[in-house]
Amino acid sequence: MKVLAAVIFAAYIVATSAVPLVGEWGLKGICKQQEKVKDMTVNLNVPEYAGLWFEQGRSKSFIFDHNCYCTAANYTLESNGVVGVANSCAKGGVTGTRTTTSGTASQDDKQHPGYLDIHFKGQPSFAKGVYEVMATDYKTYSIVASCTELGGSLIWILTREQQIPDTQFDAYVKQAQDMGFDVDDMVRTVQTGCPALQ
């Protein structure tokens, strides 16, 4: 049944996505030890984490960010304790049409508050992902992972500021690498020349 679900979801991605499947699938680095990664997640304080974050870099194998510029994520704390998620980017260039994908995230594992289940609108009910906060100071940066058998090994570097120096970005990538994550396919997100977001 799990294999069938994976095949159905893969077909769903191909059918609904206009982008090619790029990067390598499969678990790499410390993502091969999914329980260990879960234990490494932070004791996340959602109200403090909520708000606007800018993507500075991501794993190339994350196909949904293909051809995206000025990528941002806005997290809101809903009345039922669920986290509202709104990911947006400009397609094709910094002045391209801005598209938004909305969903929800929840702290279902009370022993690991930094490990969230995430689901986006329009996806099948079984197509939940994981959002693993590996490091954050809430005010400056966040290192996020998603280690799943289907999605593979994904890493994001998020910051509160839209533009940061290369040296700062490199330091965050090194921090993720030192945790054991494979960062070989990390690509930098263009945030220069982007319209201001509120």
Side-chain angles (χ1 to χ4, degrees), residues 48-151:
E48 195 171 356
Y49 192 78
L52 185 62
W53 292 92
F54 294 97
E55 180 190 274
Q56 298 299 332
R58 61 167 176 85
S59 298
K60 185 178 180 180
S61 51
F62 184 61
I63 61 172
F64 298 106
D65 267 9
H66 178 74
N67 204 28
C68 267
Y69 296 73
C70 313
T71 306
N74 193 36
Y75 305 123
T76 55
L77 184 60
E78 307 297 333
S79 57
N80 57 0
V82 171
V83 180
V85 178
N87 294 338
S88 65
C89 77
K91 284 290 187 179
V94 297
T95 59
T97 301
R98 193 156 196 92
T99 61
T100 300
T101 303
S102 300
T104 56
S106 55
Q107 294 171 298
D108 295 334
D109 187 337
K110 303 307 179 185
Q111 300 300 315
H112 300 91
Y115 180 94
L116 292 83
D117 291 313
I118 190 166
H119 182 265
F120 289 98
K121 294 178 181 178
Q123 290 183 338
S125 58
F126 62 78
K128 287 186 178 180
V130 297
Y131 185 100
E132 299 163 302
V133 183
M134 307 308 304
T136 186
D137 63 358
Y138 297 98
K139 298 179 180 179
T140 306
Y141 81 103
S142 180
I143 297 174
V144 178
S146 181
C147 302
T148 64
E149 294 291 346
L150 182 59

Side-chain angles (χ1 to χ4, degrees), residues 151-173:
S153 307
L154 303 174
I155 302 293
W156 292 267
I157 306 296
L158 309 178
T159 61
R160 294 292 193 185
E161 294 293 330
Q162 187 161 15
Q163 297 180 32
I164 62 172
D166 290 341
T167 52
Q168 190 175 348
F169 173 74
D170 291 343
Y172 295 145
V173 174

